[in-house]
């Protein structure tokens, strides 16, 4: 296999800041100048959520709540459905050679109705919560693209401080000529550590 | 977080507010701290050699864990007859311990979820600890009903709807099946909530570690967390919604546990006050357990700057309040017994007061209703020795409460001819102390391998306090460290 033209690799320019607001200001400046630098992908890294990061990056509202709602509703249907199927199903259908029936385990306890809806509430409730929680956790991981054990930003040794006491920002660009100017720009905006990583295209 | 902003951490801010000395609440984070000092001090117990004390404690707890394994093996090889349960007391230590352990877990969820929704800043440095307690307590609890089935390897067919060739399905109208769903959901959701909170801290452990092995192991558990703003945006929603889901869940769990009793017709069990008073009792015993563990742990692990007297005092106040809720529950129950006019209900009440197990009943009243009243005095609820003793007595009292409900109600019911006494066997006692060994072992391992205080959340609290302070002083946004 020989590719006619190698795909351009991505260049990650990283800058570490001591103060959260300097990092946010730098992001705002970079977004304003995006027109001249061309399309870049910006991100902020911090060891706790910092106020104003969403607005500075112009991020949309998270999709996690919607995922949780869907999963919780599915859990509720599932919870009610399995109880009705197991303890209260008795249907016959068709006739002749195609006749069939669907029968659950019709347990008569104390003469209660086979389908006693009030007694189905606890299990329905628990499954609503359980699947909602699965949605919250696995939905969050999926939206964040995790687990992903390797990422270009981890190539920078100093980036380890992002999880300790520094605020980092990254600018990703496909244009190699932008790399040097971006590094200079980050330093001018107050970044203490500036470095870059090349991520080769697949 | 509003309560955090009420307690400025720097001395200058305190002077400006001019709060009299004796009215100042202790801070939630003591001393001038930066992100670096908080990271170093909270991660220190993970990096350092655990020391002789830790190994000695682990030796004691794992001995009891060994006793638990022996007892379970003997039980499975012989049958549930090795327990003291017999006619008419068919439920005894197994269900008492189950309810007690589940109740203990409830404080963890209350601290992590309900106090998060109410934006209580003081939950932040104790939530990780309390959630771990929840997980281990639920494991200890779940063991008893599973073993009580006699053949736990068949329990799957009886408890959860698994399609099988025997065409057997659980009876969904039974509170015992509801219990299975409640407890398994509770454990799973608590584990997920704990893990989601832990991911950012695992990433810090990964990036702060010096050794390659640690970096690799913590790196795998951190799932590649980068702390990107996109990550945090989704994480915040995930964490908040998990708290929102856990809040009704924790109330439902002990409610469903109380249905095991309340839906029966036995005098002493057949009462509508059970669900709320079981939940209050669960929180009561859970906070007592958090205090019993937290007071020594903060001392030995050097966490006094993040688990301050303010946290401890607040927990004492919660114990005082829930203690009164429980007392009110007892009073309601007694009133309902008398007001019913039923000879069986009144007879059951009199058996509690004067029957063969009466000393245990009065000890329960002493531990749960009288002892917590010492917390009215500030001098006593800030005295660590007093707090520890009260917490221990509350745990004893809550265990006795379940003993009173289960054994006293069963041993003398409607027909005097079927009355009988219950005495635990050595296996009963071995299994109960054994679960404490399991709990203790798991807890000691937790204290060694993961930060016992939610590091990212404490740093966020510090950052928010600082932002609020700098706004109050008109200095614009937070400027790094103090």
């Amino acid at each position: 296999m020989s590719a006619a033209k190698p795909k351009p690799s991505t260049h990650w320019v990283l800058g570490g800041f001591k103060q959260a607001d300097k990092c946010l200001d730098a992001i705002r400046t970079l977004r304003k100048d995006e027109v001249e630098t061309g399309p870049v992908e910006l991100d902020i890294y911090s060891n706790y959520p910092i106020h104003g990061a969403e607005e500075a990056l112009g991020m949309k509202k998270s999709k996690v709540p919607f995922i949780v709602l869907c999963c919780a509703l599915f859990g509720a249907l599932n919870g009610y459905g399995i109880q009705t199927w197991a303890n209260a199903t008795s249907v016959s259908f068709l006739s002749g050679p195609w006749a069939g029936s669907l029968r659950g385990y019709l347990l008569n306890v104390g003469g209660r109705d086979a389908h006693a809806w009030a007694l189905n509430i606890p299990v329905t409730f628990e499954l609503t919560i359980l699947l909602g929680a699965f949605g919250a956790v696995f939905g969050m991981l999926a939206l964040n693209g995790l687990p992903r054990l390797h990422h270009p930003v981890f190539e920078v040794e100093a980036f380890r401080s992002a999880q300790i006491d520094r605020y980092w920002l990254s600018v990703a660009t496909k244009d190699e000529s932008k790399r040097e100017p971006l590094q200079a720009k980050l330093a001018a905006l107050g970044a203490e550590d500036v470095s870059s990583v090349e991520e080769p295209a697949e | 977080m509003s309560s955090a902003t009420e307690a400025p951490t720097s001395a200058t801010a305190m002077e400006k507010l001019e709060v009299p000395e004796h009215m100042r609440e202790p801070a939630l984070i003591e001393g001038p701290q930066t992100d670096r000092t908080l990271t170093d001090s909270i991660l220190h117990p993970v990096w350092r050699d655990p020391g002789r004390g830790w190994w000695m404690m682990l030796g004691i707890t794992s001995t009891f864990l060994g006793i638990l394994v022996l007892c379970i093996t003997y039980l499975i090889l012989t049958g549930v007859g090795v327990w003291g349960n017999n006619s008419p007391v068919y439920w005894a230590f197994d269900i008492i311990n189950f309810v007690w352990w589940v109740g203990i877990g409830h404080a963890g969820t209350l601290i992590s979820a309900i106090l998060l929704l109410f934006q209580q800043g003081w939950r932040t440095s104790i939530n990780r600890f309390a959630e771990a307690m929840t997980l281990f307590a639920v494991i200890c609890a779940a063991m008893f009903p599973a073993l009580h089935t006699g053949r736990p390897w068949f329990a799957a067919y009886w408890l959860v709807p698994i399609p099988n060739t025997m065409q057997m399905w659980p009876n969904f109208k039974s509170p015992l099946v509801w219990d299975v769903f409640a407890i398994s959901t509770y454990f799973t959701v608590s584990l997920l909530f704990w893990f989601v909170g832990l991911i950012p801290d695992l990433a810090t452990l990964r990036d702060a570690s010096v050794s390659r092995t640690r970096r690799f192991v913590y790196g795998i558990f951190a799932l590649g967390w980068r702390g990107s703003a996109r990550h945090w945006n989704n994480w915040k929603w995930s964490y908040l919604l998990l708290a929102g889901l856990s809040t009704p869940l924790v109330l439902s769990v002990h409610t469903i546990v109380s249905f095991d009793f309340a839906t029966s017709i036995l005098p002493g069990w057949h009462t509508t006050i059970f669900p709320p008073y079981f939940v209050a009792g669960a929180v009561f015993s859970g906070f007592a357990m958090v205090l019993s563990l937290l007071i020594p742990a903060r001392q030995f692990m050097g966490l006094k700057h993040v688990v301050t007297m303010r946290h401890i005092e607040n927990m004492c106040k919660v114990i005082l309040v829930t203690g009164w809720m429980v007392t009110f529950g007892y009073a309601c129950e007694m009133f309902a017994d008398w007001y019913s006019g039923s000879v069986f209900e009144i007879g059951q009440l009199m058996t509690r007061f004067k029957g063969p197990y009466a000393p245990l009943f009065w000890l329960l009243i002493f531990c749960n209703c009288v002892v917590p009243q010492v917390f009215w005095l500030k001098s006593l609820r800030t005295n660590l020795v007093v707090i520890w003793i009260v917490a221990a007595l509350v745990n004893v009292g809550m265990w006795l409460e379940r003993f009173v409900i289960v054994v006293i109600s069963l041993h003398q019911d409607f027909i005097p001819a079927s009355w009988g006494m219950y005495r635990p066997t050595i296996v009963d006692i071995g299994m109960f102390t054994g679960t404490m060994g399991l709990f203790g072992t798991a807890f000691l391992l937790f204290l060694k391998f993961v930060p016992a205080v939610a590091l990212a959340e404490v740093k966020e609290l510090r950052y928010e306090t600082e932002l609020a302070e700098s706004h109050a002083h008109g200095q614009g946004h937070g400027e790094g460290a103090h």
Side-chain angles (χ1 to χ4, degrees):
Chain A
M1 259 172 65
S2 61
K5 204 177 164 191
K7 280 187 190 166
S9 44
T10 311
H11 299 274
W12 294 79
V13 181
L14 299 167
F17 295 77
K18 238 186 193 156
Q19 283 144 13
D21 37 345
K22 282 223 173 129
C23 184
L24 289 176
D25 286 342
I27 283 284
R28 289 189 193 105
T29 317
L30 285 166
R31 278 191 71 204
K32 234 188 293 165
D33 299 349
E34 207 170 7
V35 193
E36 49 189 83
T37 51
V40 286
E41 203 189 307
L42 296 167
D43 210 341
I44 299 178
Y45 308 86
S46 56
N47 52 117
Y48 45 82
I50 48 177
H51 292 261
E54 284 98 340
E55 297 92 89
L57 287 165
M59 270 159 46
K60 290 196 187 107
K61 202 190 146 190
S62 169
K63 288 195 190 75
V64 170
F66 179 71
I67 296 174
V68 172
L69 178 71
C70 295
C71 291
L73 288 177
F74 178 69
L77 277 175
N78 210 338
Y80 202 91
I82 196 144
Q83 294 179 83
T84 314
W85 149 246
N87 282 172
T89 314
S90 177
V91 239
S92 304
F93 47 84
L94 299 176
S95 59
W98 299 284
S101 67
L102 207 56
R103 287 183 76 80
Y105 196 70
L106 298 171
L107 207 57
N108 185 345
V109 180
R112 292 184 184 101
D113 276 351
H115 179 239
W117 67 269
L119 300 176
N120 288 356
I121 289 176
V123 171
T124 308
F125 174 80
E126 297 301 332
L127 283 177
T128 309
I129 299 283
L130 182 67
L131 289 230
F134 281 151
V137 177
F138 299 112
M140 180 270 285
L141 290 178
L143 290 173
N144 285 346
L146 299 176
R148 176 180 177 181
L149 296 187
H150 182 259
H151 190 274
V153 294
F154 291 137
E155 291 292 319
V156 178
E157 188 63 20
F159 183 77
R160 286 166 79 155
S161 64
Q163 304 305 328
I164 299 166
D165 62 346
R166 289 286 188 273
Y167 308 89
W168 284 76
L169 67 78
S170 71
V171 192
T173 175
K174 299 260 180 204
D175 188 350
E176 200 179 350
S177 65
K178 301 257 172 63
R179 189 168 157 162
E180 294 291 321
L182 274 170
Q183 279 187 313
K185 187 157 194 164
L186 284 189
L189 286 168
E192 299 187 339
D193 278 309
V194 180
S195 32
S196 64
V197 184
E198 187 180 344
E199 181 192 10
E202 307 269 312
Chain B
M1 303 211 172
S2 57
S3 61
T5 57
E6 284 161 23
T9 44
S10 71
T12 49
M14 278 199 180
E15 278 157 25
K16 287 196 178 163
L17 286 171
E18 284 174 13
V19 180
E21 177 78 41
H22 67 280
M23 284 177 73
R24 276 180 210 154
E25 277 200 277
L28 290 172
I29 302 171
E30 274 175 1
Q33 300 285 353
T34 61
D35 286 346
R36 170 66 71 171
T37 58
L38 283 172
T39 308
D40 289 345
S41 58
I42 292 175
L43 295 191
H44 180 65
V46 179
W47 300 142
R48 72 157 182 214
D49 178 50
R52 280 243 300 278
W54 186 85
W55 282 108
M56 270 162 63
M57 294 286 287
L58 191 71
I60 297 169
T61 56
S62 50
T63 307
F64 282 102
L65 176 59
I67 293 174
L68 178 68
V69 174
L70 281 178
C71 288
I72 292 177
T73 314
Y74 179 54
L75 173 96
I76 287 176
L77 293 178
T78 321
V80 282
V82 299
W83 285 344
N85 311 8
N86 213 332
S87 175
V89 184
Y90 285 114
W91 263 7
F93 262 45
D94 45 348
I95 196 89
I96 298 169
N97 297 340
F98 164 73
V99 179
W100 189 72
W101 277 118
V102 175
I104 280 173
H106 276 41
T109 322
L110 187 100
I111 291 171
S112 57
I114 301 183
L115 296 184
L116 177 79
L117 297 184
F118 285 121
Q119 303 205 328
Q120 293 296 308
W122 65 275
R123 74 175 270 288
T124 298
S125 34
I126 50 174
N127 62 338
R128 168 79 41 78
F129 197 89
E131 283 167 43
M133 190 190 76
T134 299
L135 291 177
F136 307 141
V138 175
I139 293 172
C140 291
M143 199 180 289
F144 286 102
L147 291 172
H148 191 204
T149 59
R151 294 179 177 82
W153 51 97
F154 285 140
Y157 294 120
W158 305 330
L159 303 177
V160 282
I162 296 175
N164 58 78
T165 50
M166 295 173 280
Q167 293 274 304
M168 226 164 65
W169 292 92
N171 171 21
F172 285 110
K173 289 162 198 127
S174 161
L176 297 177
V177 170
W178 304 345
D179 236 7
V180 174
F181 280 83
I183 298 295
S184 51
T185 300
Y186 186 47
F187 178 75
T188 315
V189 174
S190 300
L191 182 67
L192 292 173
F193 196 22
W194 188 71
F195 182 67
V196 167
L198 198 56
I199 293 173
D201 286 5
L202 288 167
T204 306
L205 280 167
R206 174 194 67 203
D207 289 347
S209 62
V210 273
S211 95
R212 256 188 95 78
T213 327
R214 280 170 172 168
R215 194 171 184 193
F216 179 76
V217 174
Y218 286 120
I220 286 176
F221 284 106
L223 307 178
W225 178 265
R226 302 190 292 281
S228 124
R230 284 179 176 77
H231 286 182
W232 283 118
N233 187 26
N234 293 322
W235 184 91
K236 276 194 289 188
W237 275 106
S238 173
Y239 203 59
L240 185 69
L241 288 169
L242 280 172
L245 289 167
S246 302
T247 300
L249 174 65
V250 68
L251 299 180
S252 83
V253 171
H254 235 54
T255 300
I256 290 176
V257 168
S258 81
F259 285 165
D260 291 348
F261 304 100
T263 56
S264 75
I265 56 159
L266 192 76
W269 289 6
H270 185 59
T271 163
T272 48
I273 192 76
F274 264 18
Y277 123 69
F278 263 56
V279 173
V283 174
F284 182 52
S285 64
F287 269 85
M289 190 58 115
V290 176
L291 278 172
S292 326
L293 298 169
L294 198 61
I295 290 173
R298 78 192 264 277
Q299 180 81 32
F300 295 122
M301 296 174 63
L303 295 173
K304 282 184 181 174
H305 60 303
V306 282
V307 184
T308 65
M309 280 317 288
R310 171 125 168 250
H311 295 100
I312 293 184
E313 221 188 309
N314 280 356
M315 285 192 270
C316 291
K317 288 176 188 168
V318 174
I319 289 192
L320 187 58
V321 172
T322 47
W324 273 106
M325 288 185 193
V326 170
T327 309
F328 179 72
Y330 299 151
C332 272
E333 205 188 344
M334 288 174 198
F335 172 78
D337 286 346
W338 167 74
Y339 195 66
S340 73
S342 152
V343 286
F344 301 113
E345 291 283 350
I346 296 171
Q348 173 55 227
L349 190 61
M350 289 303 134
T351 312
R352 289 187 184 183
F353 289 165
K354 306 190 286 200
Y357 295 110
L360 296 179
F361 174 77
W362 293 111
L363 187 59
L364 135 76
I365 296 292
F366 173 73
C367 290
N368 286 359
C369 309
V370 180
V371 171
Q373 304 312 322
V374 304
F375 287 156
W376 285 106
L377 294 174
K378 194 176 173 82
S379 59
L380 294 178
R381 67 168 185 264
T382 48
N383 181 329
L384 293 178
V385 179
V386 172
I387 297 171
W388 199 86
I389 293 170
V390 171
L393 286 176
V394 166
N395 275 322
V396 172
M398 284 310 293
W399 190 88
L400 288 171
E401 182 203 295
R402 278 67 184 248
F403 185 90
V404 164
I405 291 172
V406 175
V407 175
I408 300 193
S409 305
L410 281 170
H411 91 295
Q412 292 188 5
D413 60 357
F414 301 98
I415 309 166
S418 72
W419 291 1
M421 289 294 285
Y422 165 77
R423 226 165 251 106
T425 62
I426 188 86
V427 181
D428 276 312
I429 293 163
M431 281 192 66
F432 180 47
T433 48
T435 47
M436 288 186 183
L438 170 64
F439 181 82
T441 308
F443 213 85
L444 286 168
L445 294 175
F446 155 73
L447 291 179
K448 171 67 192 91
F449 291 106
V450 238
V453 169
L455 177 55
E457 288 176 58
V458 170
K459 286 199 257 185
E460 191 189 0
L461 179 68
R462 188 201 64 81
Y463 165 74
E464 282 173 344
T465 314
E466 195 180 274
L467 271 188
E469 263 177 52
S470 60
H471 275 304
H473 292 215
Q475 291 166 351
H477 277 260
E479 291 281 316
H482 281 289

